[in-house]
Amino acid sequence: MLGSFSSSHEEEEDPSDLQYQIPQPSRAFITPAIQMRQLLISCAELVSQSDFSAARRLLSILSSNSSPFGDSTERLVHQFSTALSLRLSRYAAPNGGAMPASVNTAAADSDTFHSTYLSLNQITPFIRFSQLTANQAILEAVEGQRAIHILDFDIMHGVQWPPLMQAIAERCDDLHPPPMIRITGTGEDLGILQRTGDRLLKFAQSLGLKFQFHPLLLHNDPTSVPLYLPSALQLLPDETLAVNCVLYLHRLLKDDSRDLRLFLHKIKSLEPKVVTIAGKEANHNHPLFLQRFVEALDHYTAVFDSLEATLPPNSGERLAVERRWFGREIIDIVSAEGDDRRERHERFESWEVMLRSSGFSNIPLSPFALSQAKLLLRLHYPSEGYRLQIINDSFFLGWQNQALFSVSSWH
């Protein structure tokens, strides 16, 4: 299961040398996938040069060779062609600057978004791997404590926490009574937060655990969290705090990292026992559109290839996840700019620098956490394509030679 990522952690080159990063194989060895990749990059280059007429002509060729129902290459080209088309609609229009309606609609459909998240959690290992590894780090950090408070940023349906509750309950006996568990879950929909809290409470009661849930509404603006977090979070004197940031920190980035650094300093002031971080291994926050486009293309090529290899050809779940989840992310990365762009993922190296500069130290993930991650892949996602690697005491999960997600633990 252990493998290496030959290109995932190389130092990035100057954007001005981007044309030399694109391989140019001889025509005798060009596969359809390589050809489509080159055409997509050529179209993105035309868009970045504001040659909109030529970009539309090339986009027409790409669209005619793509389909949401084809193989992984055709489906990938379909999603990126859609995103490029939306970018053209935004910047080539006479009144350019308005966000395309379809982008806003995709982001606003909360019910579809959350149901697709549950499907994503079932058919890909990335979120379950991140949550399972974070849970083990939290479990080890709070062992022996009488009261535990977990601050979970963007808790959504709370699917991360029943396995942790189960693990805590199994460790208890007459000599070691169960601790009091409180979870403060953040989100943008109070109704979803309340339903999540109710489900977690029922599950905790079924295990005989003392449990409380507190919803913390973010009002669709994660960057405002540092301003009111200390007063909004109710911490009791005897509680041990754990902070969970799975697929969250990138939302605090804008064109600079000020909001994120303020957030990290506020979290540090709360003196948590452990902070768990998980995110995509890609630089989707590059200020240059073309560099960002190539990063996204490489990342999602590996994601779509993994889905192609592990799911049936006519999988409805895969179609929904690719269109509603990954397609939404691709549209955001490719077509949006400025404050409209939310999917600003960074590589582990960037998070490591920001965390250390904010006073955090890395906690090595344990051998047992590694064993759990291996078991998860072997039992639920049995494919030789998934690779697990340890770098700087942190875990990296990828497909073939492309690292896709990282998980780390800090204090």
Side-chain angles (χ1 to χ4, degrees):
M1 189 67 67
L2 287 175
S4 64
F5 302 121
S6 60
S7 61
S8 299
H9 303 284
E10 296 175 0
E11 186 175 346
E12 294 184 12
E13 299 180 23
D14 188 89
S16 63
D17 295 329
L18 184 62
Q19 64 267 29
Y20 300 110
Q21 299 175 13
I22 302 169
Q24 300 291 337
S26 64
R27 290 188 176 276
F29 298 100
I30 288 182
T31 65
I34 292 175
Q35 185 179 32
M36 288 296 103
R37 181 182 188 275
Q38 291 174 341
L39 289 176
L40 281 169
I41 294 173
S42 296
C43 187
E45 286 177 327
L46 292 170
V47 172
S48 68
Q49 296 163 3
S50 299
D51 192 346
F52 300 131
S53 296
R56 285 195 181 93
R57 290 193 296 270
L58 188 49
L59 196 56
S60 177
I61 296 173
L62 286 164
S63 298
S64 65
N65 286 277
S66 69
S67 168
F69 309 103
D71 61 23
S72 62
T73 297
E74 292 172 323
R75 299 194 311 273
L76 182 80
V77 173
H78 172 77
Q79 298 298 341
F80 274 88
S81 296
T82 299
L84 283 169
S85 179
L86 287 170
R87 187 175 181 91
L88 277 173
S89 298
R90 181 177 187 186
Y91 292 103
N95 63 340
M99 186 62 133
S102 58
V103 179
N104 289 324
T105 300
D109 190 349
S110 178
D111 291 338
T112 299
F113 177 82
H114 285 276
S115 65
T116 306
Y117 171 83
L118 295 178
S119 296
L120 175 72
N121 204 36
Q122 291 296 319
I123 69 174
T124 71
F126 307 119
I127 294 178
R128 293 178 74 179
F129 156 75
S130 301
Q131 294 176 342
L132 180 72
T133 305
N135 278 358
Q136 185 60 32
I138 293 172
L139 187 65
E140 293 170 5
V142 302
E143 186 172 11
Q145 302 299 313
R146 299 180 60 183
I148 303 166
H149 193 143
I150 299 170
L151 173 56
D152 184 14
F153 284 96
D154 199 19
I155 192 171
M156 300 186 77
H157 292 278
V159 295
Q160 177 170 348
W161 304 118
L164 180 67
M165 293 181 188
Q166 184 80 47
I168 290 174
E170 290 173 353
R171 293 188 172 200
C172 299
D173 52 35
D174 293 339
L175 297 178
H176 303 89
M180 173 67 191
I181 302 173
R182 291 208 300 156
I183 295 179
T184 295
T186 78
E188 299 175 2
D189 186 311
L190 184 58
I192 290 176
L193 286 174
Q194 290 173 335
R195 290 192 294 273
T196 294
D198 291 342
R199 285 193 300 271
L200 292 176
L201 176 61
K202 290 178 181 178
F203 186 80
Q205 289 173 339
S206 73
L207 298 175
L209 296 175
K210 295 175 288 184
F211 177 80
Q212 292 180 3
F213 180 82
H214 304 277
L216 181 57
L217 203 59
L218 295 186
H219 302 292
N220 200 31
D221 182 16
T223 60
S224 66
V225 174
L227 301 178
Y228 64 85
L229 180 59
S231 60
L233 185 65
Q234 302 173 355
L235 280 176
L236 301 180
D238 61 340
E239 285 183 325
T240 298
L241 177 65
V243 178
N244 187 62
C245 298
V246 171
L247 301 181
Y248 181 76
L249 288 186
H250 68 277
R251 300 187 190 180
L252 300 174
L253 290 171
K254 293 296 183 183
D255 290 331
D256 58 48
S257 60
R258 285 180 297 178
D259 289 326
L260 175 61
R261 292 183 184 279
L262 178 58
F263 172 84
L264 292 175
H265 282 296
K266 293 291 185 181
I267 294 298
K268 186 71 166 61
S269 70
L270 298 173
E271 299 183 347
K273 183 76 170 179
V274 63
V275 178
T276 48
I277 308 291
K280 293 181 185 289
E281 273 300 290
N283 184 6
H284 296 154
N285 195 37
H286 199 284
L288 296 182
F289 163 70
L290 188 56
Q291 183 79 4
R292 193 167 71 241
F293 182 90
V294 174
E295 281 272 339
L297 185 57
D298 288 341
H299 178 86
Y300 289 102
T301 294
V303 171
F304 275 54
D305 285 349
S306 73
L307 294 175
E308 177 84 356
T310 55
L311 290 170
N314 299 319
S315 170
E317 280 188 315
R318 179 181 64 191
L319 179 64
V321 166
E322 287 178 346
R323 182 169 64 89
R324 296 172 183 167
W325 189 276
F326 295 129
R328 174 189 58 82
E329 291 180 342
I330 292 168
I331 285 173
D332 182 277
I333 295 165
V334 173
S335 70
E337 289 291 352
D339 289 344
D340 290 330
R341 186 156 56 84
R342 292 167 56 93
E343 302 297 334
R344 295 173 173 265
H345 312 110
E346 296 268 11
R347 295 185 186 277
F348 171 80
E349 290 91 338
S350 297
W351 300 126
E352 184 179 31
V353 169
M354 283 185 272
L355 285 159
R356 291 192 186 281
S357 67
S358 298
F360 289 92
S361 299
N362 183 252
I363 304 174
L365 295 170
S366 70
F368 186 74
L370 178 63
S371 299
Q372 278 195 322
K374 289 181 179 180
L375 185 63
L376 171 72
L377 295 176
R378 186 165 64 248
L379 293 181
H380 299 285
Y381 308 95
S383 172
E384 292 300 318
Y386 287 117
R387 306 291 178 89
L388 187 60
Q389 190 181 23
I390 306 172
I391 300 175
N392 294 341
D393 297 318
S394 304
F395 291 176
F396 294 76
L397 177 63
W399 179 257
Q400 303 295 358
N401 292 324
Q402 180 82 21
L404 297 174
F405 277 75
S406 65
V407 186
S408 56
S409 176
W410 304 80
H411 67 78

